[in-house]
Amino acid sequence: MSSAAGQPSGPSTGSSPRYAADRPFPRGYTAPPQERRAVADAHTTRLWWSTAAAVVDHAVIAAVVMGCAWPVLWTGRHLVAGLAAAGCGAVLLGRQFRALECLAHEASHFNWARDHRRLNDLLATVLACVPTGSRLAVYRASHLRHHGRFGTRDDPDLANYRRFALEELDRTSVRAFARDALSRMPAYRRRWRETSGGPGRLPVLPFGWAVLLAIAPAGIVWGSWSAAFAAAGVWLLGYGVLLPVVRFLGECNEHVYTGSQTVFDATVSNLGLLQRLLIHPHGDGYHTVHHLWPGVPHHRIRNLHRRLTANDPEGYTARLRHRTKFLSSPVRGLRPKGRTSR
């Protein structure tokens, strides 16, 4: 590690003259002519689909909080069971809150409803931003700078990669990675609040949302104030502890700026099954396609990736930078599958 957590660090190789340049990186990829209609069609949004995805995420969060409240409540003779339930529930909650953050990210690109932007923002604010403690307008301003000024001094993600030396995380073992990641977490959390407009030190709005959705219902269902307090503890562990960890694990794997000169080369797709299920929900793992076409919504991005993998073996498949295991370094080239048609 070349710098302490939270301090700026330059590129480790110095091999790219465009690292933190004044001009944004070029895209570095153009879809084949026969695939351009499919790319255009993939930009179609479905408000009901994104809304339903958020509602399902809410339902899972409520079920996890309420379900874990009972074993956590009776920890007198079953301490191990209570702690195990709280831990497993917190991991699931971290994943589910991250899923809502991914839907807020979708809304920042108007990928819920491109033709009804006020409705896009209203539903995303209520269903995704309030539960996760972010403000859509603040997050959108920062995130669209990342896309529009990619690789320049104005790119907030590049600033994070340099400040926290994310490309230099020790991936030789789980223990080494955890040590490096945890040393960066306090400063990383402060930075996230700056770029997302989070509610400061106390998550008032997310907690109010949790009380209505899961904590009060847990007390009613189990008939005990203690159950409500147990539910609040599980929620706090998931939201306050696991969510920042899952967020960090996702964001530290999305780019390799050093040595890259195009958006295509600097972006990493995380395609492993566990990555897609736990760390990159709602298509967030197909990050290369997202940076090439940010207007492709989450429910269409996987199919577009598969089309390009099958139908552009030289331009896309052989060049794609990706990883399938969390601690592995990204590699280039996928095995092409059979060709697909519209």
Side-chain angles (χ1 to χ4, degrees), residues 25 89 105 112 146 164 200 204-205 226 234 236 249 254 305:
F25 282 18
H105 162 252
W112 285 44
H146 167 52
F164 306 122
V204 177
L205 288 178
S226 298
V234 173
L236 186 60
L249 295 180
E254 293 177 341
H305 163 80

Side-chain angles (χ1 to χ4, degrees), residues 166 169-174 176-177 252-253 323 326-329:
L166 295 184
L169 288 164
D170 189 343
R171 296 176 181 269
T172 57
S173 68
V174 173
F177 182 86
C252 74
N253 281 343
R323 62 165 60 85
F326 185 82
L327 291 182
S328 64
S329 298

Side-chain angles (χ1 to χ4, degrees), residues 80-150:
V80 174
L83 293 177
C88 292
V91 171
L92 289 174
L93 289 177
R95 186 270 180 196
Q96 291 305 119
F97 285 125
R98 182 58 182 165
L100 290 177
E101 286 189 343
C102 289
L103 291 177
H105 162 252
E106 287 288 300
S108 74
H109 292 286
F110 299 101
N111 286 349
W112 285 44
R114 185 159 296 112
D115 296 331
H116 304 280
R117 295 194 169 194
R118 289 186 178 179
L119 187 58
N120 174 98
D121 287 7
L122 175 62
L123 287 175
T125 295
V126 173
L127 294 176
C129 294
V130 169
T132 57
S134 63
R135 295 190 178 104
L136 183 57
V138 176
Y139 173 76
R140 176 181 285 144
S142 172
H143 185 66
L144 294 190
R145 258 198 331 273
H146 167 52
H147 280 269
R149 299 290 294 165
F150 188 96

Side-chain angles (χ1 to χ4, degrees), residues 29-104:
Y29 176 81
T30 301
Q34 67 272 18
E35 295 302 317
R36 292 174 189 171
R37 175 62 184 273
V39 171
D41 290 345
H43 283 71
T44 304
T45 59
R46 293 177 178 173
L47 179 61
W48 66 267
W49 192 303
S50 296
T51 304
V55 170
V56 170
D57 288 335
H58 282 245
V60 172
I61 290 171
V64 170
V65 171
M66 294 176 64
C68 290
W70 178 256
V72 172
L73 174 63
W74 300 107
T75 57
R77 292 185 300 170
H78 306 286
L79 178 60
V80 174
L83 293 177
C88 292
V91 171
L92 289 174
L93 289 177
R95 186 270 180 196
Q96 291 305 119
F97 285 125
R98 182 58 182 165
L100 290 177
E101 286 189 343
C102 289
L103 291 177

Side-chain angles (χ1 to χ4, degrees), residues 255-297:
H255 296 291
V256 177
Y257 286 97
T258 304
S260 301
Q261 299 189 28
T262 68
V263 174
F264 188 94
D265 289 335
T267 305
V268 180
S269 292
N270 293 278
L271 305 178
L273 179 61
L274 289 179
Q275 292 169 305
R276 290 184 284 114
L277 288 178
L278 298 178
I279 309 298
H280 299 278
H282 296 313
D284 186 59
Y286 301 99
H287 210 59
T288 306
V289 173
H290 172 67
H291 266 274
L292 294 173
W293 300 286
V296 175

Side-chain angles (χ1 to χ4, degrees), residues 62 65-67 69-70 73 210-232:
V65 171
M66 294 176 64
W70 178 256
L73 174 63
V211 168
L212 293 175
L213 179 75
I215 295 174
I220 295 171
V221 169
W222 302 123
S224 169
W225 281 103
S226 298
F229 282 115

